[in-house]
C-alpha cells in the first residue's frame, strides 16, 4: 500500500492507494478559518499537527491494515503554506525513516493534475490542463502525469482567491466559492457584463480587476444573485476562452480542468458546452477530488513510485511554485 498525505493549506488528508485503487481516504476540512475570510497559517499548522496522526490511523483501520502493509510514503512538498507543508512532509519522512520505506515528495500542482486519473474516463495525453485553485491559476501542457510544461499563469490573484475575497467582502464564510455559486444559482448570468482583463502574455490571467469590478457593481446596488451569477459567468467565460484558444494554438484537441474551482457546476457545464462546439475533448476532475485531498497525492506519488523517482529524506518542503 502507498500511504499519501496532504497538508498544503487547510485540509488534512490521508489516503491508502495501490495500482489504481483507493483503499481508504480521510479528509478533514478545518472549519476554524471560516469566519475570518481566509486561512490563518499558524492555526492551520496547529490543526494539521493534531489531526494528521488521527487521519493516518483512521485510513489504516478503515482498510483493516497496519504499517507493515505499507510499501512507500508520499506527501505534498509544495507549493503551499510552509508551516502546513512542514507538518505533513516531516511526519511522512519520519514514518519513512522509522519503517525503512521510500519517501516520495509530491508537487501539489502535479497532484491536482493527476486527479484527472481518478475519473472514469482514461486520460489521453497530451492535453492542456487548467489548474484553478485558491492559490494558483496555471495552464499546463501535460504530456504524462508528471510531465508538466507551463503555458500561462495568473499575474495577480488566483481565481479561487478572487472568489474568496469577493465572498469575504460580502461577509460570507471562507471558502467563498461555494457560497457565491449558491447565490448565483438564483440570479441571471446575463444581467451584467464584466470586460475580460488584458495581460501582456496571451495565456496569462488576471483577476484583481474583475474582483474590483464586482465590488464596484455591488456599490451600485445590483441585486446580489444577479451580480454573483453575472460575475461568475464572466470569470468562467474568460477562463474557458483562454483555455480553448491556447489549446488551439498548441494544436491540442484535449483539455482538462482541476482544482477547487473545478467543483463549480456552472463552470463544468459551461466548459463542456463550449468545448463540444469546437470539437475539443474535456476531462474534468471528479467532484470529490477537486478540493484538496490525499487521493490525488497518491496518484501522483504512484507514478513517481513506478519510475523509482524517490525523494531524499533531507529534502525540505517549498512554499512557492
Ligand atoms: O484546490 P483547493 O481546495 O485548494 C488550493 O489548492 O488552493 O481550492 C480551494 C479554492 C477556494 O478558493 C474555494 O473558494 C474554491 O476553491 N472553490 C470554488 C468552489 N468550490 C471551491 N470556487 C468556485 N465555485 C465553487 N463551487
Ligand atoms: Zn490545492
Amino acid at each position: 500500500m502507498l500511504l499519501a498525505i496532504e497538508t498544503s493549506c487547510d485540509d488534512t488528508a490521508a489516503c491508502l492507494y495501490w495500482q489504481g485503487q483507493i483503499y481508504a481516504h480521510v479528509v478533514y476540512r478545518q472549519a476554524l478559518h471560516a469566519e475570518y475570510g481566509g486561512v490563518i497559517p499558524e492555526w492551520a499548522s496547529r490543526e494539521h499537527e493534531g489531526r494528521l496522526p488521527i487521519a493516518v490511523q483512521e485510513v489504516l483501520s478503515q482498510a483493516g491494515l497496519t504499517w507493515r502493509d505499507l510499501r512507500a510514503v508520499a506527501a505534498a512538498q509544495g507549493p503551499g503554506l510552509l508551516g502546513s507543508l512542514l507538518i505533513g512532509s516531516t511526519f511522512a519522512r519520519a514514518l519513512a525513516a522509522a519503517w525503512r520505506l521510500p519517501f516520495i515528495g509530491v508537487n501539489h500542482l502535479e497532484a491536482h493534475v493527476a486527479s484527472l486519473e481518478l475519473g472514469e474516463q482514461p486520460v489521453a495525453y497530451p492535453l492542456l490542463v487548467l489548474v484553478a485553485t485558491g492559490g494558483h491559476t496555471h495552464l499546463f501542457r501535460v504530456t504524462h502525469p508528471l510531465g508538466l510544461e507551463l503555458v500561462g499563469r495568473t499575474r495577480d490573484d488566483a481565481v479561487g482567491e478572487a472568489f474568496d475575497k469577493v465572498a469575504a467582502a460580502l461577509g460570507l464564510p471562507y471558502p467563498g466559492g461555494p457560497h457565491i455559486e449558491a447565490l448565483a444559482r438564483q440570479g441571471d448570468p446575463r444581467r451584467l457584463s464584466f470586460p475580460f482583463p488584458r495581460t501582456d502574455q496571451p495565456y496569462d490571467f488576471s483577476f484583481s480587476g474583475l474582483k474590483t469590478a464586482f465590488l464596484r457593481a455591488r456599490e451600485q446596488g445590483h441585486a446580489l444573485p444577479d451580480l454573483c451569477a453575472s460575475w461568475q459567468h464572466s470569470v468562467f467565460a474568460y477562463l474557458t476562452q483562454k483555455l480553448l484558444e491556447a489549446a488551439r494554438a498548441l494544436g491540442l484537441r484535449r483539455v482538462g480542468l482541476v482544482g477547487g474551482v473545478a467543483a463549480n457546476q456552472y463552470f463544468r457545464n459551461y466548459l463542456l458546452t463550449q468545448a463540444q462546439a469546437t470539437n475539443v475533448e474535456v476531462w474534468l476532475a471528479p467532484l470529490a477530488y477537486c478540493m484538496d485531498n490525499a487521493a490525488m497525492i497518491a496518484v501522483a506519488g504512484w507514478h513517481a513510485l513506478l519510475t523509482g523517482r524517490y525523494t531524499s529524506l533531507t529534502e525540505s518542503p517549498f512554499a512557492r511554485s
Side-chain angles (χ1 to χ4, degrees), residues 17-226:
Y17 179 94
W18 196 257
Q19 214 156 29
Q21 201 173 331
I22 296 168
Y23 288 83
H25 186 211
V26 168
V27 183
Y28 168 68
R29 302 212 182 276
Q30 301 179 2
L32 75 175
H33 311 285
E35 59 187 291
Y36 297 94
V39 176
I40 298 165
E42 189 67 26
W43 292 5
S45 309
R46 285 272 176 182
E47 282 277 286
H48 287 309
E49 198 266 333
R51 289 287 174 161
L52 185 56
I54 300 168
V56 170
Q57 277 170 357
E58 223 170 282
V59 285
L60 284 170
S61 84
Q62 269 183 22
L65 299 171
T66 73
W67 67 269
R68 286 191 180 79
D69 300 301
L70 300 181
R71 292 294 170 268
V73 185
Q77 282 286 84
L81 298 174
L82 194 61
S84 289
L85 288 161
L86 274 166
I87 303 289
S89 168
T90 306
F91 190 79
R93 286 180 286 149
L95 292 183
W99 297 337
R100 297 181 200 289
L101 297 170
F103 168 68
I104 298 159
V106 171
N107 181 296
H108 183 80
L109 300 180
E110 287 180 0
H112 272 298
V113 170
S115 72
L116 291 177
E117 296 211 337
L118 292 162
E120 276 167 20
Q121 184 190 3
V123 184
Y125 298 91
L127 76 170
L128 187 67
V129 179
L130 173 64
V131 181
T133 74
H136 298 88
T137 305
H138 281 37
L139 263 184
F140 290 109
R141 181 175 181 273
V142 181
T143 50
H144 59 90
L146 302 180
L148 276 57
E149 297 157 22
L150 188 67
V151 171
R153 58 182 297 173
T154 182
R155 306 312 308 178
D156 41 57
D157 291 345
V159 57
E161 188 180 358
F163 270 88
D164 295 336
K165 286 181 174 170
V166 158
L170 296 173
L172 296 168
Y174 171 86
H179 299 282
I180 300 290
E181 184 182 13
L183 278 165
R185 243 179 254 126
Q186 278 121 55
D188 175 4
R190 310 274 167 181
R191 178 62 59 90
L192 292 152
S193 84
F194 295 90
F196 288 179
R198 293 186 172 277
T199 47
D200 291 340
Q201 299 298 319
Y203 308 124
D204 278 352
F205 304 96
S206 167
F207 293 98
S208 70
L210 277 166
K211 179 190 63 193
T212 314
F214 179 106
L215 299 176
R216 208 171 301 127
R218 172 74 177 144
E219 281 164 16
Q220 287 161 0
H222 294 286
L224 200 50
D226 287 345

Side-chain angles (χ1 to χ4, degrees), residues 6 8-9 108-109 112 133-136 259-260 290-293 296:
E6 157 63 33
S8 306
C9 189
H108 183 80
L109 300 180
H112 272 298
T133 74
H136 298 88
C290 288
M291 302 272 280
D292 286 347
N293 64 85
M296 68 183 195

